[in-house]
Amino acid sequence: MTTWWTENQINARLNRDFVASKLRPEERALLDKPLAFGDGLTDDTYIDWILEKARKLFLILLDIGVPDQVFGVIDDSFDDDDLPLSLDAVSQLKLSLETDELLNKKFYRTQFNYLVKDLKPGEHVHYDVDEVVPIEPVKRRPDVLPNHSLERVHLPGKPLTLYARRKISLGYTSGSLPEGDFLAEVDAVKAISHDHIMSLWASYTQDHSGYLLLTPAPEMSLKSFVADVPQQFKMLPKQRRREILINWPHCLADALAFLHLKGYAHRDIRPSNIFIDSSNNIFFGDINSFKLKTPQTRKKTPESEVYEYAAPEQWVRTPVVHQSAPPKSTLPGGGRTGRKISVRSTASSKRSSYISDVSSLASFDTGRPCTIASTTTTTSTSSSSSGSTAILQKYRSLPTDPQRSDIFSLACIFLDILTHLLKRKHNNFASHRASKNRSAGRGGAPADASFHLNLAQVAAWIDILDGDAFAKDDQLFRGVPPMLALISKMLARDPKARPTAAQVEERLDDALFRFAHVARPHCGTNHFADGGVGSRIVGQAQGYGQGHGYISGIGAAVWMQEDARMSMPAGRPSSKSSKSSGSTVRAKTWPLHSDEILEQFMSHDYCD
């Protein structure tokens, strides 16, 4: 365990009795003697000097085993203001009769344990190489944030308040960020503070590295959660588990709406970069994804996951003819997605009505371009001995709106969450997406299970979840079909056809309140005041919603009246309510099927 002393600890520990207990009897008698160098100009004694001016010096000498040397140090007029001493200056303390280099080095190193500069919220601190940073790492379990660049830490004496620490190399070499740029970006992201975004608490620099202390501290990633649900979550009552899961999409939408309003795009929404804390709160992670993007963090990113959850415009393949052997595949390129491009266009024409029409494809930079080999080869007219060429599919990135790409990736996350809520297996979902690409790709590449190249299969899975939700008797599941209808809008191939994050938040809030009858979403959206965070964002950013109810302030009475008079068509009654055949008993009868809900729930066009 790291040992250091803060000002409060020093003040609480050091007093006359403590000092006297560390000295021999003959030395204690010196404590009340007048200072040798005073020459009658002061009445201060040695104990006065120790308690008022040399508290740290005494503790350092005690720590290295020579507390009796405090009298000689004081006689030479040293006090705490002289700290830290350079290694050369330590020899002037004369800690031993003969020069003891090992003792001097021990003093030099130990002094920094008593010169701790505290980290405070919103502040940046620079520590010299030998200075002690008052941070203690939390021992990480193997199942917590595996292979992730975040480390959980806490401040001294506060083991229950955890932070996530990220290290960024500073400098001008490859994989580093100039210190000036680091500090500028730190100042910029201070404005990003949201309950469902891993936000900056403090920062510091030391030894050519920058460090970010982020909060909240993650317990696990969403990817880990769905793969192996933690015991603490399983122990919760079933209804409470359902409420937590159905609230998660709204929490993330609320956070993304806030982030987009600030002018940022997340750019890296994927299961490994969404976290859950010990209280089952969900939040976006990796502040590096916002602005602090360095090559060293990209190397830690699972490339296949980035690909699978990216929007269509982020991964555009174009055929390129190369006069060389095809390189090894680095991304899913198997089966039909790795063959002729015409096959892909045929598959896309079969997608469900949930998915919007194809539009132009463009992208923002997601890293260096990657190439995979096509399974199609042609005969070369070249006079080379091989007589053949390889047609490669090369990913190209073109400028586009990264906030719209965030919406697509967020929809994929929503589907993961709802898949778990409805007790479907995520590996089955991945297999379903890749079911049209079962043949292994060239070089043994896995079948492509990305969302953007399998939109028809994703739409079919949405239909499966829709049917699962209608089969449930719990009122809470009535919110799932409207959510699926919204997700379908978010998955539009044309980025401009997707709703904004603020609109997504508002519609999810509506689905939870009106259909699932969640009295108050987790993020604290308040229908009875001003319509909640997302609605305020829309109003501030676009002036949207005038007369729509949220901005104009639908009150509790209006909601209750509407709920009372609402007579939901029978749609799909549950198996237990089949005898009611069209009855409007709300606990037994479902509202409109998703196809109709899509028209009712999304009646106003917010994609202009």
Side-chain angles (χ1 to χ4, degrees), residues 210-249:
Y211 296 84
L212 307 173
L213 293 183
L214 311 166
T215 184
E219 184 72 16
M220 64 179 57
S221 67
L222 179 63
K223 182 176 181 179
S224 298
F225 179 91
V226 298
D228 185 14
V229 180
Q231 193 62 32
Q232 66 177 26
F233 188 81
K234 292 179 180 178
M235 293 175 63
L236 295 174
K238 179 172 68 175
Q239 192 62 24
R240 179 58 185 150
R241 296 198 303 269
R242 290 175 173 178
E243 291 172 355
I244 290 172
L245 291 171
I246 202 169
N247 264 292
W248 277 356

Side-chain angles (χ1 to χ4, degrees), residues 160 163 177 211 281 299 321 360 397 449 504 506 552 589-590 592:
L160 299 181
Y163 303 91
L177 190 68
Y211 296 84
N281 296 315
K299 292 178 182 178
V321 178
S360 61
S397 300
V504 170
E506 182 183 12
S552 59
T589 306
W590 276 99
L592 300 175

Side-chain angles (χ1 to χ4, degrees), residues 71-108:
F71 299 101
V73 169
I74 293 175
D75 287 342
D76 290 332
S77 301
F78 283 99
D79 60 30
D80 289 346
D81 290 340
D82 296 314
L83 301 175
L85 294 171
S86 67
L87 185 58
D88 292 336
V90 172
S91 61
Q92 299 175 20
L93 298 177
K94 302 174 184 177
L95 300 178
S96 57
L97 292 176
E98 296 182 0
T99 302
D100 188 339
E101 295 296 340
L102 291 178
L103 184 61
N104 289 345
K105 289 180 179 179
K106 191 174 183 180
F107 181 97
Y108 175 78

Side-chain angles (χ1 to χ4, degrees), residues 311-355:
E313 64 272 17
Q314 294 176 260
W315 294 93
V316 182
R317 299 183 186 183
T318 56
V320 178
V321 178
H322 285 265
Q323 301 289 339
S324 60
K328 182 179 179 181
S329 174
T330 59
L331 286 175
R336 298 176 187 176
T337 58
R339 296 177 187 173
K340 296 180 180 179
I341 298 177
S342 59
V343 176
R344 194 175 307 126
S345 62
T346 302
S348 63
S349 66
K350 298 179 181 179
R351 61 185 177 273
S352 164
S353 59
Y354 279 107
I355 310 302

Side-chain angles (χ1 to χ4, degrees), residues 246-353:
I246 202 169
N247 264 292
W248 277 356
H250 179 262
C251 295
L252 295 175
D254 190 74
L256 192 63
F258 169 85
L259 188 64
H260 284 186
L261 178 65
K262 292 290 185 179
Y264 290 87
H266 191 290
R267 301 174 183 264
D268 198 17
I269 297 176
R270 51 191 172 83
S272 292
N273 201 27
I274 292 175
F275 298 106
I276 300 158
D277 65 14
S278 57
S279 299
N280 298 313
N281 296 315
I282 195 168
F283 51 94
F284 290 113
D286 194 357
I287 197 169
N288 185 71
S289 301
F290 304 151
K291 296 283 278 186
L292 298 170
K293 301 184 72 173
T294 63
Q296 68 169 21
T297 54
R298 261 303 165 191
K299 292 178 182 178
K300 297 175 184 284
T301 301
E303 193 174 25
S304 61
E305 187 183 65
V306 172
Y307 169 78
E308 288 179 0
Y309 285 80
E313 64 272 17
Q314 294 176 260
W315 294 93
V316 182
R317 299 183 186 183
T318 56
V320 178
V321 178
H322 285 265
Q323 301 289 339
S324 60
K328 182 179 179 181
S329 174
T330 59
L331 286 175
R336 298 176 187 176
T337 58
R339 296 177 187 173
K340 296 180 180 179
I341 298 177
S342 59
V343 176
R344 194 175 307 126
S345 62
T346 302
S348 63
S349 66
K350 298 179 181 179
R351 61 185 177 273
S352 164
S353 59

Side-chain angles (χ1 to χ4, degrees), residues 109-176:
R109 292 192 301 268
T110 303
Q111 66 179 328
F112 294 106
N113 293 340
Y114 299 88
L115 300 173
V116 176
K117 291 185 285 191
D118 293 333
L119 288 162
K120 298 179 181 179
E123 294 185 359
H124 177 83
V125 179
H126 174 74
Y127 294 94
D128 290 331
V129 174
D130 295 306
E131 288 188 284
V132 175
V133 181
I135 289 289
E136 288 191 18
V138 177
K139 186 176 181 181
R140 187 164 71 180
R141 302 192 308 270
D143 60 331
V144 176
L145 307 180
N147 303 320
H148 207 280
S149 57
L150 293 174
E151 178 186 25
R152 298 199 304 168
V153 299
H154 67 82
L155 300 179
K158 300 179 180 179
L160 299 181
T161 304
L162 302 181
Y163 303 91
R165 178 170 64 179
R166 171 177 288 286
K167 179 180 179 180
I168 296 176
S169 177
L170 301 181
Y172 295 91
T173 59
S174 176
S176 299

